[in-house]
Amino acid sequence: MRFLGLLVIGMVVCPAQNTKQLPEGPGRKTTERLCGSCHGFGNFMRKRDTRDGWNNVIEDMIRRGAKGEEEEWAEVSDYLVAQFSPVRVNVNQATAAQIAEGLQVKAAVAAAIVKHREGNGAFKGFEDLGKVAGVDVAALEARRMFIDY
Ligand code: HEC
């Protein structure tokens, strides 16, 4: 039991730090070097965002102390956009898991979206999504162009 407890604590404290590899592509080496010194890549391999969104993350990381040259950041930005852009999500057809991943919402919110369409019929547009309890319309606005109905 004690061993198990330590194992669990270990997993919480260092969540698979360097076991995750970034996908192959132009700019990967630079991204590994500039983004890998403080944390693993797991936290952003799950993230999907637009160019603006990724550039905000980069600025945030620079404020937190990330170091690099102007042209290196441009390379990192291109890499992140090429690898981790939002996928299109059809909110009338996708499963709750696909909605959670595609729209980057919590599982409970994705489940509420599915439940809402089952109870009220298909979503006709973005405004309809705002009627679902728990949906943060302001946060979803950034993904609006990737949502199909
Ligand atoms: C100087 C250290 C440092 C470097 C270098 C760094 N980060 Fe971070 N990053 C942090 C800290 C501190 C946090 C907040 C705590 C956490 O989630 O680990 C964070 C959190 C994050 C998050 C989760 C929060 C969010 O905004 O979604 C993402 C994604 C992220 N970093 C991506 C990157 C990327 C991409 C790079 C390279 C451009 C990078 N980090 C480089 C320190 C750093």
Side-chain angles (χ1 to χ4, degrees), residues 17 30-31 33-41 43-45 47 54 56-67 73 76-77 80:
Q17 278 294 339
T30 308
T31 306
R33 188 158 45 78
L34 269 57
C35 301
S37 54
C38 301
H39 48 65
F41 304 118
N43 58 351
F44 63 90
M45 282 175 67
K47 195 173 165 71
W54 279 118
N56 285 338
V57 170
I58 290 174
E59 277 170 29
D60 185 23
M61 295 307 136
I62 292 172
R63 276 193 295 272
R64 289 174 193 262
K67 297 264 182 298
W73 290 123
V76 170
S77 173
L80 292 170

Side-chain angles (χ1 to χ4, degrees), residues 87-92 94-95 98-103 146-149:
V87 287
R88 298 202 70 83
V89 176
N90 184 316
V91 284
N92 288 317
T95 61
Q98 288 166 335
I99 291 173
E101 147 93 28
L103 302 187
F146 299 98
I147 303 175
D148 295 319
Y149 304 92

